[in-house]
């Protein structure tokens, strides 16, 4: 009884929804519907706020800024952030439109970008072997190749010079490697570090040195250069368990892990501050897909699984542990029944898939 009273008194977790651009809007709308249904079925409440920041109409009305200057302060009080996708190349260059996302990841120390990729019954893959795949890429998310360090001089002239520097700190590398080691211990006990130390003798060699200094007892450790790793993702993806990579390498590898396991549209992502000092950010791996935006055919499953991970992350705030699992199970069942969008081998649209998953919760 006392526990019940405490639960009733606790405030509902506050979630900021940032649909963004293109199919980011389509899959966020679908996720809001799904979460409303999950709340009624599993008896919990979320306080949701939707922000209309985007790279077209919002930016046009705000001097070209795709999100407010004080976005970090606005979002800080929330328990979690859910992002659809940002980017609309017809309106603005991608390096401007992606800026708010990178700002959140860095300002909130969301250093572990966790991106699972697995095969599903009912979803065809391009792989001949058909072996089941179940891997998770942990992408360093706060520094590396995506810090804004560099510059351009003599712009537009034949003498133009562009410098773009990657920054790898021992602290940053160590914390994401520790996260990967723990994840491997909780999964199948295998960690692959991806570098390119044969060509990048400072930054990438330091990654390998830092790993060598850490306690990896109880797990099998493997180091691969990123080019070889790309080949192995295609040749034998079933051999991977936990993969840790720098910001750029992890970004590239997770489009590939999505594609080899069925479709990029199925893949979730969590940008975590494991210390919980800042809000974490949940988003599908895919982008705004202008080629299919507004057509009602975007696969919402990557967004649904990101929402499931968000609910599990919010367990300390009172979300029932079963709610995220129920979404996962409903997704698996509907994929197995071929209730999926075209990219995943089905014939349904975004809203039919949403209804099919909701029926199974
Ligand atoms: P993309 O991921 O948007 O699309 C790549 C291909 O996959 C397209 O053919 C698209 O139709 C397909 N696809 C992606 N998600 C799908 C889904 N849910 N269902 C069915 N098909 C799906 O990558 P692209 O085309 O390189 O980038 C488009 C825009 O998105 C750019 O502005 C880019 O900067 C931005 N972007 C944003 C990201 C984010 O917000 N986290 C991540 C990646 C790209
Ligand atoms: Mg990417």
């Amino acid at each position: 009884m006392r526990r019940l009273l405490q639960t009733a008194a606790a405030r509902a977790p506050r979630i900021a929804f940032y649909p963004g651009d293109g199919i980011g809007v389509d899959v966020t709308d679908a996720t809001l519907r799904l979460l409303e249904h999950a709340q009624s079925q599993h008896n919990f409440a979320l306080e949701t706020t939707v922000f209309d920041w985007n790279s077209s109409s919002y930016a046009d009305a705000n001097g070209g800024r795709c999100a407010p200057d004080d976005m970090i302060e606005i979002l800080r009080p929330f328990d979690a952030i859910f992002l659809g996708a940002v980017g609309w190349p017809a309106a603005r260059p991608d390096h401007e439109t992606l800026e708010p996302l990178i700002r959140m990841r860095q300002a909130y120390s969301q250093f572990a970008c966790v991106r699972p990729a697995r095969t599903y019954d009912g979803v065809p893959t391009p792989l001949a072997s058909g072996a089941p795949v179940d891997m998770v890429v942990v992408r360093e998310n706060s520094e590396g190749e995506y810090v804004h360090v560099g510059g351009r001089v003599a712009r537009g002239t034949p003498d133009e010079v562009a410098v773009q520097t990657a920054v790898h700190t021992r602290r940053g590398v160590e914390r994401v490697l520790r996260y990967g080691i723990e994840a491997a211990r909780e999964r199948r006990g295998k960690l692959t570090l991806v570098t390119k130390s044969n060509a990048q003798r400072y930054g990438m060699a330091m990654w390998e040195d830092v790993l060598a200094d850490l306690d990896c007892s109880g797990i099998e450790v493997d180091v691969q250069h990123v080019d070889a790793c790309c080949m192995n993702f295609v040749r034998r993806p079933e051999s991977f368990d936990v993969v840790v990579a720098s910001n750029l390498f992890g970004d590239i590898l997770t489009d590939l892990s999505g594609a080899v396991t069925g479709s990029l549209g199925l893949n979730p992502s969590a940008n975590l501050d494991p210390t919980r000092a800042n809000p974490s950010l949940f988003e599908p791996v895919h982008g705004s897909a202008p080629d299919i935006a507004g057509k009602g055919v975007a696969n919402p499953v990557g967004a649904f699984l990101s929402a499931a991970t968000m609910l599990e992350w919010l367990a300390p705030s009172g979300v029932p542990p079963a709610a995220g699992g129920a979404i996962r199970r409903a997704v698996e069942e509907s994929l197995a029944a071929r209730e999926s969008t075209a990219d995943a081998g089905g014939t349904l649209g975004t809203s039919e898939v949403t209804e099919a998953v909701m029926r199974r919760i």
Side-chain angles (χ1 to χ4, degrees):
M1 184 60 173
R2 201 162 139 218
R3 245 187 95 173
L4 270 179
L5 284 174
Q6 273 175 354
T7 311
R11 74 170 170 80
R14 298 178 64 194
I15 317 295
F17 285 85
Y18 179 172
D21 300 296
I23 66 163
V25 178
D26 308 5
V27 301
T28 305
D29 286 349
T31 303
L32 282 162
R33 283 179 69 194
L34 178 83
L35 284 173
E36 203 157 299
H37 182 67
Q39 288 171 74
S40 69
Q41 295 297 303
H42 285 269
N43 196 26
F44 69 100
L46 300 174
E47 192 187 316
T48 62
T49 308
V50 180
F51 293 93
D52 68 346
W53 308 327
N54 64 55
S55 313
S56 45
S57 55
Y58 178 91
D60 289 346
N62 287 277
R65 282 188 295 278
C66 302
D69 290 342
D70 56 351
M71 172 188 74
I72 295 300
E73 287 68 45
I74 294 172
L75 296 179
R76 198 182 290 284
F78 285 86
D79 295 292
I81 302 159
F82 185 94
L83 177 87
V86 289
W88 199 250
R92 288 194 161 68
D94 285 342
H95 67 262
E96 289 177 17
T97 56
L98 207 68
E99 187 277 334
L101 173 58
I102 294 179
R103 192 168 10 138
M104 286 188 282
R105 289 171 172 167
Q106 294 178 352
Y108 295 143
S109 290
Q110 294 162 348
F111 66 84
C113 180
V114 182
R115 296 184 156 183
R118 51 161 291 194
T119 45
Y120 291 94
D121 286 345
V123 179
T125 78
L127 299 167
S129 83
V133 177
D134 180 6
M135 64 158 99
V136 53
V137 177
V138 180
R139 163 187 177 189
E140 201 296 317
N141 211 31
S142 64
E143 51 178 46
E145 304 88 345
Y146 289 6
V147 294
H148 300 305
V149 176
R152 287 171 68 176
V153 291
R155 265 184 195 246
T157 74
D159 298 322
E160 181 164 3
V161 177
V163 175
Q164 179 95 46
T165 304
V167 174
H168 306 275
T169 67
R170 181 170 274 265
R171 182 174 290 110
V173 170
E174 189 177 313
R175 65 186 181 179
V176 76
L177 282 172
R178 284 187 191 281
Y179 188 93
I181 291 166
E182 272 320 302
R185 288 200 174 110
E186 281 164 24
R187 288 174 48 100
R188 298 196 307 279
K190 184 164 180 203
L191 177 81
T192 303
L193 169 62
V194 182
T195 69
K196 185 65 187 169
S197 59
N198 52 352
Q200 299 205 316
R201 59 168 72 182
Y202 309 121
M204 288 297 151
M206 188 184 79
W207 273 82
E208 295 178 9
D209 290 347
V210 174
L211 180 64
D213 289 344
L214 293 175
D215 171 16
C216 295
S217 54
I219 61 167
E220 185 191 331
V221 174
D222 172 34
V223 180
Q224 298 186 13
H225 295 310
V226 66
D227 40 359
C229 184
C230 286
M231 180 177 67
N232 290 332
F233 266 31
V234 174
R235 218 164 43 149
R236 46 179 180 83
E238 67 282 0
S239 67
F240 291 94
D241 180 17
V242 176
V243 177
V244 178
S246 70
N247 211 330
L248 173 65
F249 292 172
D251 190 359
I252 296 169
L253 285 168
T254 48
D255 269 32
L256 187 54
S257 62
V260 296
T261 50
S263 167
L264 183 56
L266 297 171
N267 291 90
S269 163
N271 300 264
L272 302 179
D273 171 8
T275 71
R276 293 182 182 265
N278 298 290
S280 289
L281 168 74
F282 301 82
E283 50 159 355
V285 172
H286 64 75
S288 60
D291 53 337
I292 57 165
K295 293 187 177 158
V297 298
N299 191 341
V301 164
F304 292 170
L305 295 174
S306 303
T309 310
M310 178 174 79
L311 295 183
E312 287 159 358
W313 179 255
L314 291 170
S317 314
V319 175
I327 293 177
R328 276 179 216 292
R329 237 180 344 271
V331 162
E332 278 171 38
E333 286 173 18
S334 48
L335 290 175
R338 306 223 169 222
E339 296 161 345
S340 48
T341 46
D343 58 294
T347 55
L348 303 186
T350 310
S351 61
E352 287 107 320
V353 170
T354 306
E355 280 143 28
V357 174
M358 279 165 47
R359 267 198 304 277
R360 293 174 184 280
I361 291 183

